[in-house]
Every structure is written in C-alpha cells, then in structure tokens.
Amino acid sequence: MSQVIILKKKIKKFNKEINIPGDKSLSIRWVLFSSLASGISTSKNLLISEDVLAAINVVKKLGIKVILNKKFCKIYGKGMSGYQYKENMSLNAKNSGTLGRLLLGLIINSTKKIKLIGDASLSKRDFKRVTYPLSKFGVTFKMSKNNGLPLIIKGSKSLKPIKYIEKKGSAQCKSSIIFAGMRTDGKTIIKAKKSRSHTEILCKYLRLPLKVKNKKRFDLIEVSKVKKINPINYDVPSDISSAAFFLALTALSNNSKLLIKNVNINPNRIGIVSIFRKMGIKINFRNKRIYKGEKIADILTSSPENIKPINCPINLNSSAIDEFLVIFLTVAAKADGVSYFKNLSELNQKESPRLKWAEKILKMMGVKTIVTNDSIKIFGNPNLKINKKIVIKNYLKDHRVFMASVIAALSFENKKGWYIYDKDSIKTSFPNFLTIIKRLNSEK
Ligand code: S3P
C-alpha cells in the first residue's frame, strides 16, 4: 500500500458524533499493572496499536499469559514476583517511550542482565532521565553513548528507597520511579512537577501503598513496597490526545460541530481545552463522570467565528505536551495575531524533534515563526492561502507529525497538494485515524 497521502481539498462542513480509541497512556499502564496482579484482569476498549501491542509482547516475554481479541484483552497476572527473567534476554519497547521508561522501573528487581531495545526513533531518545534516578535504588546500567537505546539493566534484590525531585514534568519519569518504589522496602519519596496522574490514580484505585499531597506546582508522592495487586477490570476511556486532532479540525472548519464521546479528561491532560478556550474556541464537557478515579466526559465543540492568538501560560505545558504540534499547525497558524509558546524544550525530546518540525512545516505553509531551543512565536494569518506543493517526509515516522499535517492539510486548502509520507506511522497510537476522517467527510 502506498505510504503517501495526497490532500488538495479542505474538509466539508460536518455535524457529527464520533468515538475515539482507548487512551494510550492508560492502555499501557493497564497492561503493566495487570501483568503484576494476582489473577486475571480483563479490559475493554484497550487501544490496539503498535505501542500497546509492544507492551503486551514484553509482558508475554516475561512469562505472562495474554489473550487478546477484538472484544477484550485478558492478562493472567502471576503476582509481584511473577516475571521470569532470563540472562541476557532482550525486551523491545519499539516506538514507545512510555513503555521503555516505565518498564525499567518494573524490572528493577532482576538480577539477570536485560537488554532494552527500541526502534530508530526511541533509540535516539533520552533514557538518562530514568536511569539516573533508578540507579540510586542500587541498580546498574550500561548505556549507549547518546544515553538512548540499547541499554542494559542489571537490577538487584536489595534495593534502597530514594528521595527524588522530578523537575521536567515527565509522567514517564515519575511513573518509572513509582514502579521501582513499589518493589522496594521503605518509603520512596518523589517531589514531582505536575504531569499526567494516571499511575497515581490507578494505584489509589487499587489501594496500593501510595500517598499523594497535591501542592500548587508539585506533587509530593510517597510510595512503599507493594505486596499484592488485585486484578483490574477496566473499560479504557478514549484518548484526549487523539481527540485533539478532531478538536483542531472542527476549529478550522466552517460551521461544523462535533461531539466526541467518553473521553478521559484527567486534569493533567486537558491543557488543549484551556488553550482552545483562551483562543476563543468553544468546548463543553457534557455528561461528566468519574470512572475508577479518572474523570470522563463527552466533549462538544464547534467552529468559532475567529481565532484569537495566545501567549500560552507555561503551567499548561505538561498538560498539552502531546497536542502542541497540532495546535501550532492549525489554530495558531490561523489566529488573528502572534501566538507565543515557551519553556518547551521537552517538545524536541519526543518521537521526533517536534519544535523543529513545527518550524519546518509552518515555513512550508508560508507562516512566519521565530523559534529558539525552547520556544516558538507563530505569526498567525486568518486569510492564509497556500498554493505550493508541500511535502512532509523523513520525520522519524512520528505519528503526531503525520496526523497534525493531515489536519493542517484538511484545514488549509492547497490546490498544488499536500504530500504526507509514512501513513503507517498512525499505527503506533491511532490506527483508525484516517477512517474517522473519511466518515467526517462523507454525507452519512
Ligand atoms: C506519557 C507521558 C508524556 C507524553 C507521552 C505519554 C505517559 O511523556 O508525552 O506521550 O503515558 O506517561 P513525558 O513523560 O516524557 O512528558
């Protein structure tokens, strides 16, 4: 199948209701927690994407039985000591930073050497952010020169609890340390800059020994050794990071309206909603409820008259971290004035250097930017017309570069065409992305 998609026309006006697949962060966490539970856990609406399949394959390799079909996934956990470690085994996190980093915290008790590998994009990403705190527990690592993958971990049976200050606002880093703390006698204490709280919420729901004190900018987390995890039956809510593409598409379409059902609106994930509202885009949460500790709602949005620029407050950075690219390429490009986003060096640490990609793509679109290592100013143009061939390729197959570009292409008509390569990249997080686009573009 051709890997390039060619788009020349703006999407037609729509008024629809859609369902988005399960949340990626929650799906991976469910797989990992269930693999350590004592008994059988069942999930519905688990995201079936390459990142989650990589998590399933890793736990299978560690000796855990998994049954996966279209309706459900069952994981036959064998308790906290159920993993079978083999000398020099290798575990493949593929494209998933969340899997690679969280897993290291979980296998910290292996006295056998384990090699962690990943694909070309993950191998370039920074693992020091987790190996540094984990080594304080008494674990040894052999790292690649660039601090990426492959790396070798040799755990220990006599782990010491740690005190750590997590300053990046990285939920992966925080969660990796929580998992390591769950395997360690004594109290591990983390002062963590605010970030998505799914791991803590699952721990609380499972009544694991974890305490959280929420401060204004930080959370103080205390975790002790976990003896037993009960099986977790979980109906995974939909992913706001996937919904984000359609919020942006609606914002740039004419007279359109969209209802997205059953979305996880964890307060540390809804930065995009605050940003859109500040830019004058209406977003309403309907039917708000709590599911196993997570906030859920149906999201209703519609096309605004015009879009205001934003000086984005930095306290929204972590809660919109996966959404900035689509925000830059769509609403900020179309806003009536200059938008400014700062303190965002983390964006260049993702599946591809996204701040750099935003700059490149906006330039191709004819949108002026001023970019530094950690900030971007976008000179929005409400009357933007594109009339030149735009080619998006060689972006390390970053799924969000592909999807954000498709949304920009459907929002800014271009008779010469957008040629967006590596369609398969969506398989990591949102395999039916293009199917939903087709549905929105059809009369039915
Ligand atoms: C994630 C945390 C974020 C996010 C990623 C998923 C998670 O990464 O970008 O897509 O599930 O914990 P960081 O922890 O690096 O900010």
Side-chain angles (χ1 to χ4, degrees):
M1 214 174 32
S2 164
Q3 276 304 301
V4 60
I5 164 168
I6 303 166
L7 296 166
K8 294 188 174 169
K9 282 194 185 146
K10 198 175 151 87
I11 197 156
K12 288 181 219 144
K13 150 182 173 180
F14 54 84
N15 182 349
K16 294 230 159 89
E17 182 180 309
I18 57 171
N19 286 297
I20 297 286
D23 185 278
K24 179 150 74 80
S25 292
L26 284 174
S27 294
I28 293 174
R29 282 166 175 76
W30 176 80
V31 170
L32 297 177
F33 273 100
S34 304
S35 72
L36 290 175
S38 300
I40 307 171
S41 300
T42 308
S43 69
K44 284 193 215 147
N45 199 38
L46 189 74
L47 171 67
I48 308 297
S49 77
E50 282 175 357
D51 279 10
V52 182
L53 291 174
I56 289 176
N57 284 332
V58 161
V59 301
K60 275 181 164 174
K61 203 157 178 191
L62 288 165
I64 306 299
K65 179 175 157 186
V66 181
I67 296 179
L68 173 66
N69 60 35
K70 279 192 185 139
K71 289 205 176 125
F72 62 78
C73 180
K74 272 189 197 303
I75 297 192
Y76 295 69
K78 294 198 285 193
M80 288 300 289
S81 310
Y83 287 171
Q84 286 161 13
Y85 300 122
K86 292 184 192 131
E87 193 64 43
N88 294 323
M89 75 192 299
S90 86
L91 299 175
N92 193 346
K94 301 249 174 107
N95 190 248
S96 175
T98 303
L99 173 60
R101 291 172 177 146
L102 269 57
L103 183 65
L104 288 176
L106 280 185
I107 59 176
I108 195 172
N109 63 337
S110 162
T111 49
K112 310 253 165 73
K113 279 187 191 152
I114 300 179
K115 191 174 188 182
L116 179 65
I117 58 172
D119 72 1
S121 151
L122 188 62
S123 300
K124 286 193 180 162
R125 295 175 67 186
D126 170 43
F127 273 75
K128 195 83 191 162
R129 61 181 58 202
V130 283
T131 59
Y132 177 70
L134 293 181
S135 60
K136 292 177 182 287
F137 282 90
V139 181
T140 43
F141 289 97
K142 205 168 153 219
M143 305 287 293
S144 299
K145 276 200 193 95
N146 64 350
N147 287 328
L149 298 183
L151 65 75
I152 291 169
I153 172 170
K154 187 167 185 286
S156 163
K157 289 268 181 254
S158 50
L159 299 162
K160 302 180 294 284
I162 67 163
K163 284 194 176 136
Y164 193 71
I165 303 180
E166 195 292 308
K167 293 180 182 157
K168 291 186 197 296
S170 161
Q172 294 174 354
C173 194
K174 169 178 74 179
S175 303
S176 187
I177 303 170
I178 293 176
F179 279 149
M182 282 167 46
R183 291 223 179 265
T184 307
D185 281 321
K187 283 184 182 144
T188 290
I189 295 167
I190 314 158
K191 181 178 175 189
K193 190 172 165 191
K194 297 263 179 206
S195 64
R196 62 190 71 190
S197 53
H198 305 307
T199 308
E200 298 94 298
I201 288 175
L202 267 171
C203 283
K204 203 170 163 200
Y205 172 71
L206 291 164
R207 296 178 189 278
L208 302 182
L210 177 128
K211 288 183 201 151
V212 183
K213 274 193 199 136
N214 299 117
K215 305 276 174 190
K216 197 162 175 234
R217 293 215 183 282
F218 285 90
D219 289 328
L220 272 180
I221 302 167
E222 189 187 287
V223 55
S224 308
K225 189 162 188 162
V226 169
K227 294 201 181 79
K228 188 180 167 200
I229 299 180
N230 288 324
I232 319 137
N233 294 333
Y234 206 73
D235 196 348
V236 184
S238 298
D239 198 326
I240 184 126
S241 298
S242 298
F245 296 106
F246 296 100
L247 298 179
L249 187 62
T250 311
L252 264 67
S253 304
N254 304 325
N255 299 317
S256 293
K257 220 173 167 186
L258 190 66
L259 181 68
I260 311 176
K261 301 279 284 183
N262 203 41
V263 184
N264 176 225
I265 52 159
N266 180 305
N268 300 298
R269 294 286 299 277
I270 52 172
I272 183 165
V273 174
S274 311
I275 292 171
F276 271 34
R277 283 178 178 157
K278 282 180 193 294
M279 297 180 87
I281 300 156
K282 269 196 207 139
I283 297 190
N284 289 316
F285 292 143
R286 290 198 166 168
N287 192 14
K288 272 207 234 173
R289 57 220 182 261
I290 305 276
Y291 177 73
K292 303 200 171 173
E294 289 285 355
K295 286 191 177 153
I296 316 284
D298 302 336
I299 304 181
L300 183 66
T301 189
S302 52
S303 323
E305 288 292 307
N306 51 33
I307 300 177
K308 290 188 277 188
I310 184 173
N311 182 357
C312 187
I314 56 172
N315 63 353
L316 295 177
N317 284 355
S318 167
S319 59
I321 195 69
D322 290 338
E323 287 66 71
F324 279 112
L325 197 57
V326 76
I327 291 172
F328 297 163
L329 300 190
T330 59
V331 288
K334 175 118 194 212
D336 195 1
V338 183
S339 295
Y340 185 31
F341 304 86
K342 53 204 169 289
N343 281 28
L344 276 172
S345 57
E346 275 295 297
L347 270 189
N348 280 335
Q349 304 291 332
K350 298 295 170 189
E351 286 86 327
S352 72
R354 290 191 184 146
L355 203 50
K356 290 189 183 146
W357 272 100
E359 181 183 18
K360 275 192 215 176
I361 299 171
L362 286 164
K363 192 171 173 203
M364 287 190 255
M365 290 165 63
V367 177
K368 185 180 159 190
T369 58
I370 298 177
V371 179
T372 68
N373 281 340
D374 72 347
S375 73
I376 185 166
K377 271 191 184 146
I378 300 173
F379 294 71
N381 176 359
N383 305 313
L384 182 66
K385 298 267 176 307
I386 308 175
N387 196 16
K388 81 182 225 276
K389 183 175 173 182
I390 293 187
V391 180
I392 316 280
K393 66 199 287 196
N394 300 331
Y395 51 84
L396 285 163
K397 301 192 178 161
D398 178 350
H399 52 138
R400 297 200 208 282
V401 171
F402 179 88
M403 291 187 279
S405 302
V406 167
I407 299 299
L410 292 167
S411 304
F412 298 105
E413 187 148 305
N414 179 3
K415 291 204 175 63
K416 300 266 163 63
W418 289 72
Y419 292 70
I420 310 169
Y421 283 74
D422 289 324
K423 191 155 80 175
D424 271 355
S425 58
I426 57 176
K427 290 184 181 168
T428 63
S429 70
F430 196 172
N432 67 341
F433 170 73
L434 291 170
T435 315
I436 296 180
I437 302 257
K438 261 191 212 139
R439 245 204 74 212
L440 287 183
N441 224 356
S442 74
E443 301 302 326
K444 276 180 260 157

